[in-house]
Amino acid sequence: MRRGIDSLAYIVKKSFNLDPFSGCVFLFGCRRRDRFKALYWDGQGFWMLYKRFENG
């Protein structure tokens, strides 16, 4: 979960052959599945949202 916006957009483009500027939301998770990042292009810039789930 150390990657930033540029690295995640690169993964979307090169690994999945998708356009990171398409307006879709791309989700990335860690191995423990308790943390997620979402990458979204709104037409003016990227949004990167981070969610961490606590126990319980």
Side-chain angles (χ1 to χ4, degrees):
M1 297 307 294
R2 297 180 188 179
R3 297 184 187 265
I5 291 172
D6 294 331
S7 297
L8 294 176
Y10 181 80
I11 290 171
V12 168
K13 184 170 183 149
K14 294 297 179 182
S15 296
F16 301 115
N17 295 323
L18 297 172
D19 183 15
F21 301 101
S22 65
C24 295
V25 176
F26 300 97
L27 293 176
F28 300 88
C30 69
R31 291 176 197 240
R32 295 186 336 192
R33 300 293 183 225
D34 64 343
R35 295 178 181 121
F36 294 91
K37 283 187 179 178
L39 184 67
Y40 171 69
W41 173 259
D42 70 355
Q44 296 179 340
F46 279 106
W47 283 82
M48 186 168 67
L49 302 135
Y50 180 79
K51 178 74 173 182
R52 182 180 72 192
F53 293 100
E54 298 293 331
N55 292 336

